[in-house]
């Protein structure tokens, strides 16, 4: 996402990139970023908490407005839970000491992976709002 | 309890790939200073667009596939969450499938537009499935095309939401 942010800014569009993976964001180095120290998958605030979600958007836009230094990452003052033990198992190799490795990646597959069977049945094969690139280049 | 440091996902991926005997994942590292566009007008006059990489598609659209999919979807930003779907190979989608706002925060941005905090929430949002192995394809295909689109949409500010 940082690569896209960098190209947008080069072309005159201001951006703010959200992040829940600080080290990756630091490496890709987008112009402006805000960091939320949450498990991956809730980058814009926790589920069913519209107040928090709106506040994350508001803080992102305020950060965008106030940042002056390219490459700034602002840490949001939100905490996932009172203790940080959720961080322990994330992406750890499975070992006898750690049989509960939290690896959520699914196998590679070249056919569309629908959330529901019904989605697959009603999907528009000529979908005009689906944009694909040719395999070449 | 004291707050601990952020998870170093680069280090954990390295260790995990090594344990699985996968070749090391090569992260993009940009050491040069990022390009910078100053905000040209107050936020309450800006048109704001959303670009999200959490694998969001709309009911009726073609879903993403799990083999380096570089395609994107155009989704109207006022799409109700009951019509939004999530598919992605690389993260736990449980929360996103219950409440797509966690990776596609259209309700939050709409609320800010309704209050006048931002000028306008752009009608088109753009989504794709992150975790694309080829950073070259992102730089040469996806990023330029998304930039073309938001420029055509006359957008001033883009909020980018990765997973």
């Amino acid at each position: 996402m940082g690569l896209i942010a960098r190209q947008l800014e080069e072309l005159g569009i201001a951006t703010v990139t959200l992040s829940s993976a600080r080290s990756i964001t630091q490496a890709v180095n987008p112009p402006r970023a805000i960091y939320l120290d949450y498990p991956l998958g809730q980058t814009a605030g926790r589920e069913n908490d519209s107040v928090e979600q709106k506040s994350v958007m508001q803080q992102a836009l305020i950060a965008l407005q106030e940042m002056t230094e390219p490459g700034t990452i602002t840490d949001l003052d939100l905490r996932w839970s009172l203790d940080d033990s959720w961080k322990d198992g994330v992406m750890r190799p499975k070992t006898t000491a750690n049989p509960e490795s939290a690896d959520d990646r699914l196998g590679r597959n070249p056919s569309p992976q629908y959330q529901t069977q019904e989605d697959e049945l009603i999907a528009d094969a000529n979908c005009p709002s689906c944009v694909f690139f040719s395999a070449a280049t | 309890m004291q707050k601990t440091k952020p998870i170093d996902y680069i280090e954990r991926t390295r260790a995990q790939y090594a344990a699985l005997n996968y070749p090391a994942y090569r992260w993009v590292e940009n050491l040069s200073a990022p390009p910078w566009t100053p905000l040209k007008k107050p936020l309450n006059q800006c048109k704001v667009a959303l670009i999200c990489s959490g694998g969001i598609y709309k009911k009726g659209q073609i879903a993403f596939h799990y083999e380096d999919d570089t395609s994107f979807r155009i989704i109207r930003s006022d799409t109700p969450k009951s019509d939004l779907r999530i598919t992605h190979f690389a993260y736990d989608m449980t929360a996103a499938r219950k409440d797509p706002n966690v990776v596609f925060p259209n309700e939050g941005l709409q609320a800010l537009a309704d209050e006048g905090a931002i000028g306008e929430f752009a009608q088109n949002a753009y989504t794709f499935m992150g975790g694309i192995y080829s950073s070259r394809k992102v730089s040469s295909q996806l990023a330029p095309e998304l930039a073309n689109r938001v420029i055509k949409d006359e957008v001033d500010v883009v909020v980018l939401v990765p997973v």
Side-chain angles (χ1 to χ4, degrees), chain B:
Chain B
M1 297 255 298
Q2 216 177 354
K3 204 162 158 47
T4 58
K5 283 190 304 187
I7 293 177
D8 186 346
Y9 283 100
I10 292 181
E11 193 43 50
R12 292 208 188 177
T13 306
R14 207 170 269 151
Q16 194 176 43
Y17 276 39
L20 294 165
N21 284 319
Y22 289 173
Y25 186 87
R26 291 179 57 187
W27 296 95
V28 171
E29 200 178 358
N30 287 307
L31 298 172
S32 62
W36 184 262
T37 293
L39 200 58
K40 294 181 192 82
K41 42 191 173 183
L43 279 172
N44 62 14
Q45 293 170 29
C46 285
K47 188 171 182 179
V48 180
L50 195 53
I51 297 182
C52 303
S53 68
I56 303 104
Y57 67 96
K58 191 187 162 196
K59 197 170 101 180
Q61 289 181 324
I62 300 166
F64 297 96
H65 65 71
Y66 293 174
E67 215 171 64
D68 228 15
D69 192 338
T70 59
S71 67
F72 67 90
R73 306 290 174 268
I74 307 160
I75 298 178
R76 277 188 62 120
S77 58
D78 60 0
T79 302
K81 59 182 167 190
S82 54
D83 284 350
L84 294 170
R85 301 287 186 267
I86 312 288
T87 193
H88 200 298
F89 72 99
Y91 74 92
D92 181 350
M93 299 177 281
T94 316
R97 285 184 166 175
K98 279 191 265 176
D99 179 10
N101 280 287
V102 300
V103 290
F104 186 80
N106 63 334
E107 292 180 353
L109 281 174
Q110 190 55 55
L112 293 177
D114 293 345
E115 283 172 11
I118 57 172
E120 192 186 338
F121 183 21
Q123 183 180 289
N124 291 338
Y126 299 92
T127 61
F128 61 99
M129 194 189 69
I132 298 169
Y133 274 135
S134 171
S135 61
R136 187 180 51 82
K137 282 184 186 166
V138 175
S139 297
S140 68
Q141 295 183 327
L142 183 57
E145 186 53 32
L146 290 174
N148 284 342
R149 301 268 173 167
V150 294
I151 289 168
K152 215 176 119 206
D153 294 343
E154 297 179 316
V155 161
D156 303 297
V157 165
V158 175
V159 176
L160 300 118
V161 184
V163 168

Side-chain angles (χ1 to χ4, degrees), chain A residues 46-125:
Chain A
R46 77 184 72 216
E47 68 176 280
N48 297 325
D49 187 341
S50 56
V51 174
E52 179 176 295
Q53 291 164 2
K54 182 180 154 201
S55 156
V56 169
M57 282 301 103
Q58 198 157 23
Q59 291 183 68
L61 290 162
I62 289 168
L64 182 147
Q65 197 170 31
E66 290 178 352
M67 281 177 190
T68 52
E69 185 74 24
T72 304
I73 304 177
T74 297
D75 296 290
L76 293 191
D77 190 20
L78 284 169
R79 199 166 176 193
W80 178 249
S81 59
L82 281 177
D83 82 79
D84 284 346
S85 59
W86 64 269
K87 294 181 181 180
D88 299 341
V90 176
M91 287 186 77
R92 293 287 198 203
K94 272 196 176 72
T95 61
T96 30
N98 177 30
E100 295 298 315
S101 164
D103 182 0
D104 300 308
R105 289 169 308 157
L106 301 167
R108 296 271 159 173
N109 194 314
S111 57
Q113 302 293 303
Y114 290 90
Q115 180 176 328
T116 69
Q117 221 166 12
E118 189 212 350
D119 290 357
E120 183 160 14
L121 293 172
I122 62 167
D124 176 4

Side-chain angles (χ1 to χ4, degrees), chain A residues 26-42:
Chain A
Q26 223 158 9
V28 187
N29 201 5
R32 305 173 180 86
I34 61 162
Y35 172 67
L36 179 56
D37 194 1
Y38 275 13
L40 298 184
Q42 300 185 59

